[in-house]
């Protein structure tokens, strides 16, 4: 009696599907970024983003869960920065690589040149939407909390070098202010500073406010 034929999935099939899914996801985020920038949060629809990306609205809802999910994904993508290693991982590696806290701060400033131009417009989009959208209010609080926690994490890496009288909480709040999208908006988007000049301002501000002489 002949054995039944067992259909085997070729190894590259699953890889090809994963790559195709990642490409669709990237197209959706690119389309969402363009739509949000051009039309704002409220006027942008999931259907329009899907049409621009060449996918179904159902796929967008399934992958991202609607407009708030699209913004979260854009925010997460912005935090990766330029390189294959996410900016946060490179930031975490700085204290081990440098004994001098000013070198750590300089590294943070360099990373801000990658992240701020991507992340600030997303945060500002959410701020604008929060004026009239309850979901955007919650999303803004969520993104702010994530950034605050990240700044607390950064302070922990240099807390032994804080200037006298500077508490860990105060240092966290200084970093929170200097990393705010509003600062990027004022200096770069409104006043026309270069991203490099903005990053150097952030570096000098952190050194002056946080570090002991």
């Amino acid at each position: 009696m002949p054995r039944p034929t067992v259909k085997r999935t070729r190894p590259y099939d699953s890889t090809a599907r994963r790559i195709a899914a990642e490409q669709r996801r990237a197209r959706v985020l690119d389309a969402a970024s363009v739509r949000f920038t051009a039309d704002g949060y409220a006027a942008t629809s999931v259907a329009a983003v899907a049409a621009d990306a060449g996918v179904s609205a159902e796929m967008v809802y399934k992958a991202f869960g609607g407009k708030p999910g699209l913004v979260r994904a854009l925010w997460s993508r912005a935090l990766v920065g330029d390189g294959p290693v996410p900016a946060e991982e490179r930031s975490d590696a700085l204290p081990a690589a440098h004994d001098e806290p000013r070198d750590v701060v300089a590294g943070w400033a360099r990373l801000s040149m990658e992240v701020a131009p991507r992340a600030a417009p997303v945060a500002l989009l959410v701020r604008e939407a929060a004026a009239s959208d309850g979901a955007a209010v919650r999303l803004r609080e969520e993104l702010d909390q994530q950034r605050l926690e990240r700044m607390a994490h950064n302070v922990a890496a240099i807390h032994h070098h804080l200037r006298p009288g500077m508490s860990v909480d105060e240092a966290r709040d200084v970093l929170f202010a200097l990393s705010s999208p509003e600062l990027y908006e004022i200096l770069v988007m409104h006043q026309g500073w270069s991203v490099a000049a903005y990053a150097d301002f952030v570096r000098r501000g952190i050194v002056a406010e946080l570090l002991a002489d």
Side-chain angles (χ1 to χ4, degrees):
M1 182 175 181
R3 294 181 180 180
T5 301
V6 177
K7 185 177 179 180
R8 290 183 172 86
T9 302
R10 288 174 291 185
Y12 65 79
D13 283 351
S14 61
T15 301
R17 286 195 296 270
R18 177 179 56 78
I19 292 173
E22 290 173 353
Q23 291 173 338
R24 285 194 299 272
R25 182 181 176 89
R27 287 204 312 272
V28 170
L29 291 180
D30 289 343
S33 179
V34 171
R35 278 283 179 176
F36 283 139
T37 300
D39 301 337
Y41 183 89
T44 295
S45 68
V46 169
V49 171
D52 291 347
V55 301
S56 68
E58 180 183 5
M59 178 267 168
V60 177
Y61 280 111
K62 183 176 180 180
F64 299 98
K67 287 199 292 186
L70 285 170
V71 174
R72 286 189 188 91
L74 286 171
W75 175 260
S76 295
R77 187 169 74 166
L79 296 181
V80 171
D82 288 335
V85 178
E88 287 189 350
E89 291 184 22
R90 285 177 279 153
S91 174
D92 288 344
L94 288 170
H98 300 284
D99 294 328
E100 170 56 53
R102 283 165 176 76
D103 292 335
V104 175
V105 171
W108 290 343
R110 287 192 298 271
L111 289 173
S112 75
M113 294 176 64
E114 297 181 25
V115 172
R118 295 168 168 81
V122 177
L124 294 172
L125 171 77
V126 175
R127 183 191 69 184
E128 178 185 0
S132 58
D133 187 290
V137 171
R138 294 187 291 275
L139 183 56
R140 183 182 184 184
E141 292 172 349
E142 177 186 325
L143 298 186
D144 279 349
Q145 184 60 35
Q146 287 180 12
R147 189 163 58 83
L148 187 65
E149 291 173 358
R150 183 65 200 178
M151 295 306 104
H153 177 84
N154 285 351
V155 167
I158 60 169
H159 73 279
H160 292 303
H161 304 282
L162 295 178
R163 64 177 174 81
M166 171 67 69
S167 72
V168 169
D169 286 348
E170 287 172 329
R172 175 205 61 197
D173 293 345
V174 168
L175 290 184
F176 187 70
L178 289 172
S179 67
S180 70
E182 288 78 13
L183 181 63
Y184 182 87
E185 179 186 30
I186 291 169
L187 296 181
V188 178
M189 299 171 71
H190 285 180
Q191 298 305 114
W193 285 32
S194 69
V195 176
Y198 155 81
D200 189 58
F201 178 86
V202 170
R203 179 191 63 79
R204 289 184 285 114
I206 295 174
V207 169
E209 291 296 321
L210 267 59
L211 300 183
D213 294 333

